[in-house]
Amino acid sequence: MAYLRACALSELEEDTPKRVELDGTPVSVVHTAGEVFAIHDICSHANVSLSEGEVEDCQIECWLHGSSFDLRTGKPSGLPATRPVPVYPVKIEGDDVLVSLNQES
């Protein structure tokens, strides 16, 4: 599985999504609850960036209509979104956050 450098771990603020582009794919990288997650940055309900939303309880909320997605699974927890968004494997090497675009879900 190929991993790409997304950002430095030291660049991530707790519970604040960071948008990155990896091989043309928009990804939101989130450091929360002592873990780092990578989720597709486009809401499955509306074509807006999830990284502009808020993070709470391992969920990222779409700022436009309020749907939240689980950072671990990509599954929506409420309407209007009904389809999950992809989540991606993450590993940390030193201060580098590495993301594989091979989807976990």
Side-chain angles (χ1 to χ4, degrees), residues 3 5-6 11-12 20 28-29 31-32 41 43 46-47 49 52 58 63 65 67 71 73 81 85-86 89 92 96-97:
Y3 282 83
R5 184 182 186 279
E11 292 175 28
L12 298 176
V20 298
S28 183
V29 180
H31 184 227
T32 187
D41 193 45
C43 178
N47 191 23
S49 176
E52 295 179 34
C58 220
W63 62 269
H65 295 115
S67 289
L71 291 168
T73 66
V85 294
I92 308 298
D96 291 332
V97 176

Side-chain angles (χ1 to χ4, degrees):
M1 187 177 323
Y3 282 83
L4 303 169
R5 184 182 186 279
C7 61
L9 182 59
S10 59
E11 292 175 28
L12 298 176
E13 295 180 40
E14 185 80 11
D15 296 329
T16 302
K18 179 176 182 65
R19 180 185 167 102
V20 298
E21 292 252 347
L22 301 174
D23 282 348
T25 300
V27 177
S28 183
V29 180
V30 181
H31 184 227
T32 187
E35 293 185 65
V36 178
F37 299 94
I39 188 166
H40 192 72
D41 193 45
I42 304 301
C43 178
S44 64
H45 169 256
N47 191 23
V48 297
S49 176
L50 291 176
S51 63
E52 295 179 34
E54 296 184 8
V55 173
E56 187 175 336
D57 297 328
C58 220
Q59 305 253 341
I60 189 167
E61 182 181 53
C62 177
W63 62 269
L64 187 59
H65 295 115
S67 289
S68 290
F69 298 88
D70 190 302
L71 291 168
R72 297 164 293 218
T73 66
K75 293 180 181 173
S77 61
L79 297 173
T82 58
R83 291 176 292 130
V85 294
V87 294
Y88 306 106
V90 173
K91 67 180 180 179
I92 308 298
E93 289 184 356
D95 191 43
D96 291 332
V97 176
L98 306 174
V99 175
S100 173
L101 293 179
N102 293 325
Q103 297 176 20
E104 288 187 342
S105 65

